[in-house]
Amino acid sequence: MSDQVPACLTAEVVSIGDEMTSGARLDTNAQWLSRRLGELGLQVKFHSTVGDTLADNVDVFRIAASRANVVVSTGGLGPTRDDLTREALAAAIDRPLVQFDSALQHIESMFASRGRQMPARNHMQAMFPEGSQEIFNPQGTAPGVDLKFDSGGRVFALPGVPAEMKRMFDETVSPRILKDATAVGSAGGSHIRHDVMKFFGTGESDMEERLGQMIDRKRSPRVGITVSKATISLRITATGNSESDCAAQIAETRAEILERVSEFYFGDGETYDQQHAIDQQLRIAGQSLSIIELGRAAPLGDWFAAIEPTTSYRGGLSMSAATDLMAMLETDSIEASMATIAKKFASDWVILVDEYPSLDPSADQPIPASDVSIFVYDPAGNLHQKTVKIGGHPSIIQPRIAKTAMQFLRQQLQ
Amino acid sequence: MSDQVPACLTAEVVSIGDEMTSGARLDTNAQWLSRRLGELGLQVKFHSTVGDTLADNVDVFRIAASRANVVVSTGGLGPTRDDLTREALAAAIDRPLVQFDSALQHIESMFASRGRQMPARNHMQAMFPEGSQEIFNPQGTAPGVDLKFDSGGRVFALPGVPAEMKRMFDETVSPRILKDATAVGSAGGSHIRHDVMKFFGTGESDMEERLGQMIDRKRSPRVGITVSKATISLRITATGNSESDCAAQIAETRAEILERVSEFYFGDGETYDQQHAIDQQLRIAGQSLSIIELGRAAPLGDWFAAIEPTTSYRGGLSMSAATDLMAMLETDSIEASMATIAKKFASDWVILVDEYPSLDPSADQPIPASDVSIFVYDPAGNLHQKTVKIGGHPSIIQPRIAKTAMQFLRQQLQ
């Protein structure tokens, strides 16, 4: 691990399209690119969003290329009249558009593979500002543009389609940036590797406090913290001269992280959440689970159903209140209801949430904490119960309850 | 309705904070403000996002105020050292910061109402660039800044907290913009009124084609189209000299819309979706519903549980496959299973989705359409069935299936 402060390349992310400036679409590309650029060790200083107007695009590219070392844009590379990125780049750098034969051949072959002839308007997608490099697009007809401005910035123009944009960034743009960064001494080498660790059970600020200097942006490997509906992700990014160098750095950083916050750790991976950890553990034990959710939400049923592959999830039941549940099952207690469900669903474990509170959907303010009871019925027929107080913003409160329930279940599984 | 083309004020939205440029948080404020500004008849030309660095903030405000008539910023108004918006505005316009006594009193009273003394650092929140107007913040300690630049732009600086920002925009900023817009002849009057109509059953481009010139940005009242997980919203914005003038314009536009696309219309309101329409209809009829969801999702159970108030939703059940359902209920058909559930849950109607497909969670590309069967069991004990082919992007496919099921149920309810 190196602690020296490297010279830092700066970056700007540009998003192009009327659908973004008008607010019709939420710009998630800029967020994704900002995280990736940060992981490469760059400091993202600006985002700019601009509509489909040529003069505005020219201005935005000129400003961006003069104030950032790396500019990554998305959008405006399609075949329609609204797609102005190539033209804007050529005007901003004052060079003509020229045809790249390799790009034209790729576009023609994309159409041929679908049994179609290339429409005339797609010809435009093979035109590049003189002096550009092509950015290969394995999934679509729009190649990207890689163009160095005299004012210092290097512009990478990518399509707006997220799947195409992400792949082109990871496969082509990221290595080119890493090469530039290494040349100016702001990155640790030619290889890059990521690792994502997942945590639940504390807040972001507590996590930051416990991690201390580990989340400093100048640390190497970098540790980035993000939070999505109360689940915390730590993304470790190592750069080095070989894959094994990166792997060794990541292993060391993981160990350091676990020394500080192991009690909240439950697994690895961008889309991994507690339901996956529970399913994995149940499958290993050859056991199964069913879920009862009472009150004004039923997220666990949806989350567990979506796990693939799962052989542990038997089914879920949602009802308004415990009284309704007992009436339907003809039982006289929560415990007896859970025993009945365990039998009916042939499941070893049952978890019950009683109950998700009523939320005013129009409120946009934190609501006070209220009591929620979580019950776990285990394979030996024992009932475990915990009551928690949960409040917060209405958009987060039901997921937080569901995730607290999963945390309690995980404790019983251990 | 007036068809003349008004002179159009331009706007820029500025978002401030390292958490945005780094990608740690998704910027939803910019989208919300863009829609609101569009509804006021302004053309939003740019969004700019900048971190917590003074010089960068000064640059962004200077550029924005010189290229847009109206600039709305969010963030940087808190009491910490990272909060630089006041200082940046003062530097950008080259004027000193002066204390506004009214603002200081408000901040002190906010703390007093919580039984606390104002910390010294909050004093900064009462400082304004000379010549500013205060924007009252009824919910928090951070007042907003309203400042006219010599370069032409009028800057409204609001806090980043969405609830505070939205209320301050609607209560104070929006009327001030409307007054400016009326003065330059680009708005139809001093009053503004909104109406949101909801649709399901066709795509955005078909909807746009059917609506034709009705969605032209120069039309008055304006009709804006947005899509969220296959539900289409049309937001009508009327400006006029009185409430009743606005209401009359909206009524006329609603009638025109329904002439063109009534077959997809199901109700009104920003957060209104088909489950609310179904619940409303069932409550009026004094009837009830239960839900069975098979396969790799169970969104309907979650959505119906969340409706408030509902007396029509009895409960939901989710399982992997129809065979599991029949085994549990000891029945030999879907129909018999639905009859059993109707009886157990004491519900008049039962809807069953068979089944939500398996999705590769890592795929970021549209998946081919596959057959999904939807069954509705009515109060007379009749079974209605429909098979639909549904494909698309993985993030949208399960909601689309659930919403298609609700559409089929609505047809049976009629």
Side-chain angles (χ1 to χ4, degrees), chain B residues 35-326:
Chain B
R35 289 187 183 176
R36 277 292 199 271
L37 290 163
E39 288 162 8
L40 291 170
L42 277 67
Q43 189 191 1
V44 180
K45 298 191 79 175
F46 305 94
H47 298 173
S48 293
T49 307
V50 60
D52 300 313
T53 307
L54 185 62
D56 292 343
N57 274 270
V58 173
D59 280 354
V60 162
F61 277 121
R62 277 198 184 132
I63 292 172
S66 69
R67 68 186 177 186
N69 302 118
V70 169
V71 178
V72 184
S73 75
T74 59
L77 292 178
T80 75
R81 272 185 311 158
D82 277 354
D83 291 297
L84 301 166
T85 298
R86 288 177 209 82
E87 218 178 315
L89 281 170
I93 202 171
D94 200 17
R95 289 192 204 155
L97 282 168
V98 294
Q99 179 180 307
F100 279 26
D101 294 337
S102 60
L104 187 61
Q105 279 159 22
H106 171 67
I107 298 165
E108 283 171 341
S109 75
M110 288 293 290
F111 278 97
S113 73
R114 298 172 200 162
R116 290 173 53 199
Q117 183 128 31
M118 186 188 87
R121 58 181 189 178
N122 286 77
H123 190 269
M124 178 64 190
Q125 294 185 301
M127 302 297 285
F128 287 74
E130 204 172 59
S132 301
Q133 280 187 74
E134 183 182 343
I135 302 170
F136 185 64
N137 181 352
Q139 289 173 279
T141 61
V145 181
D146 170 1
L147 181 60
K148 185 102 180 65
F149 273 63
D150 303 325
S151 53
R154 180 171 180 178
V155 177
F156 299 92
L158 302 174
V161 180
E164 296 178 18
M165 179 280 286
K166 290 176 184 176
R167 190 159 162 197
M168 291 164 77
F169 184 87
D170 284 342
E171 290 180 359
T172 305
V173 178
S174 176
R176 291 186 191 172
I177 291 175
L178 207 57
K179 212 166 159 189
D180 281 0
T182 307
V184 302
S186 81
S190 54
H191 285 68
I192 186 162
R193 192 167 156 160
H194 305 287
D195 203 42
V196 178
M197 301 174 76
K198 290 299 191 72
F199 303 83
F200 180 81
T202 189
E204 184 177 9
S205 54
D206 176 58
M207 198 75 175
E208 285 177 348
E209 204 174 306
R210 287 165 188 256
L211 292 170
Q213 296 193 316
M214 291 199 73
I215 52 172
D216 192 292
R217 74 155 65 235
K218 285 166 187 149
R219 187 183 186 276
S220 171
R222 281 201 64 183
V223 179
I225 184 167
T226 53
V227 187
S228 175
K229 307 213 162 173
T231 299
I232 294 179
S233 301
L234 294 183
R235 191 171 164 96
I236 308 167
T237 305
T239 50
N241 293 320
S242 66
E243 279 294 312
S244 62
D245 175 17
C246 294
Q249 289 182 47
I250 283 179
E252 198 181 333
T253 295
R254 285 182 64 97
E256 259 190 85
I257 289 170
L258 288 174
E259 265 172 40
R260 294 170 190 232
V261 289
S262 65
E263 63 267 50
F264 307 116
Y265 171 68
F266 64 79
D268 298 328
E270 202 88 64
T271 60
Y272 196 86
D273 216 320
Q274 287 182 90
Q275 64 269 27
H276 303 99
I278 290 168
D279 177 58
Q280 202 167 3
Q281 206 169 337
L282 287 172
R283 277 191 288 123
I284 289 167
Q287 295 183 332
S288 59
L289 171 72
S290 53
I291 294 167
I292 305 170
E293 298 181 271
L294 303 175
R296 288 291 189 233
L300 289 173
D302 198 24
W303 296 346
F304 275 88
I307 302 170
E308 348 219 343
T310 173
T311 50
S312 74
Y313 176 61
R314 285 283 182 271
L317 185 65
S318 81
M319 300 197 84
S320 290
T323 48
D324 292 350
L325 177 72
M326 291 187 264

Side-chain angles (χ1 to χ4, degrees), chain A residues 47 49 298 302 308 316 318 358-359, chain B residues 23 47 49 298 302 308 316 318 358-359:
Chain A
H47 297 172
T49 308
D302 197 25
E308 350 220 340
S318 80
S358 192
L359 303 175
Chain B
H47 298 173
T49 307
D302 198 24
E308 348 219 343
S318 81
S358 192
L359 303 174

Side-chain angles (χ1 to χ4, degrees), chain A residues 18 20-28 30-31 34-35 43-51 53 56 59-60 63 67 139 162-163 166 204 217 225-227 271 295-299 301-302 304-310 313-320 324 328 344-345 357-361 364-365, chain B residues 18 20-28 30-31 34-35 43-51 53 56 59-60 63 67 139 162-163 166 204 217 225-227 271 295-299 301-302 304-310 313-320 324 328 344-345 357-361 364-365:
Chain A
D18 283 344
M20 238 84 70
T21 46
S22 69
R25 284 211 205 304
L26 188 62
D27 182 9
T28 52
Q31 183 186 33
S34 296
R35 290 186 184 177
Q43 188 192 0
V44 180
K45 298 192 79 175
F46 304 95
H47 297 172
S48 293
T49 308
V50 59
T53 306
D56 293 343
D59 280 353
V60 162
I63 292 172
R67 67 185 177 185
Q139 289 171 280
K166 291 176 184 176
E204 184 177 12
R217 73 156 64 236
I225 185 167
T226 53
V227 187
T271 60
R296 288 291 188 237
D302 197 25
F304 275 88
I307 302 169
E308 350 220 340
T310 173
Y313 176 60
R314 285 282 183 272
L317 185 65
S318 80
M319 299 195 84
S320 290
D324 292 350
M328 180 185 77
K344 283 208 181 275
F345 282 80
S358 192
L359 303 175
D360 174 2
D364 198 8
Q365 296 218 65
Chain B
D18 284 344
M20 238 84 70
T21 47
S22 69
R25 284 210 205 304
L26 188 61
D27 182 10
T28 53
Q31 183 187 31
S34 296
R35 289 187 183 176
Q43 189 191 1
V44 180
K45 298 191 79 175
F46 305 94
H47 298 173
S48 293
T49 307
V50 60
T53 307
D56 292 343
D59 280 354
V60 162
I63 292 172
R67 68 186 177 186
Q139 289 173 279
K166 290 176 184 176
E204 184 177 9
R217 74 155 65 235
I225 184 167
T226 53
V227 187
T271 60
R296 288 291 189 233
D302 198 24
F304 275 88
I307 302 170
E308 348 219 343
T310 173
Y313 176 61
R314 285 283 182 271
L317 185 65
S318 81
M319 300 197 84
S320 290
D324 292 350
M328 181 184 77
K344 282 207 180 279
F345 281 80
S358 192
L359 303 174
D360 174 0
D364 198 7
Q365 297 218 65

Side-chain angles (χ1 to χ4, degrees), chain B residues 371-409:
Chain B
D371 282 351
V372 180
S373 293
I374 301 159
F375 297 86
V376 169
Y377 185 85
D378 73 18
N382 299 314
L383 190 69
H384 309 268
Q385 186 190 348
K386 183 183 184 178
T387 300
V388 291
K389 273 195 174 304
I390 294 178
H393 193 274
S395 68
I396 192 78
I397 201 159
Q398 311 294 32
R400 195 189 293 270
I401 290 169
K403 289 179 180 185
T404 303
M406 290 199 286
Q407 186 188 28
F408 184 58
L409 173 58

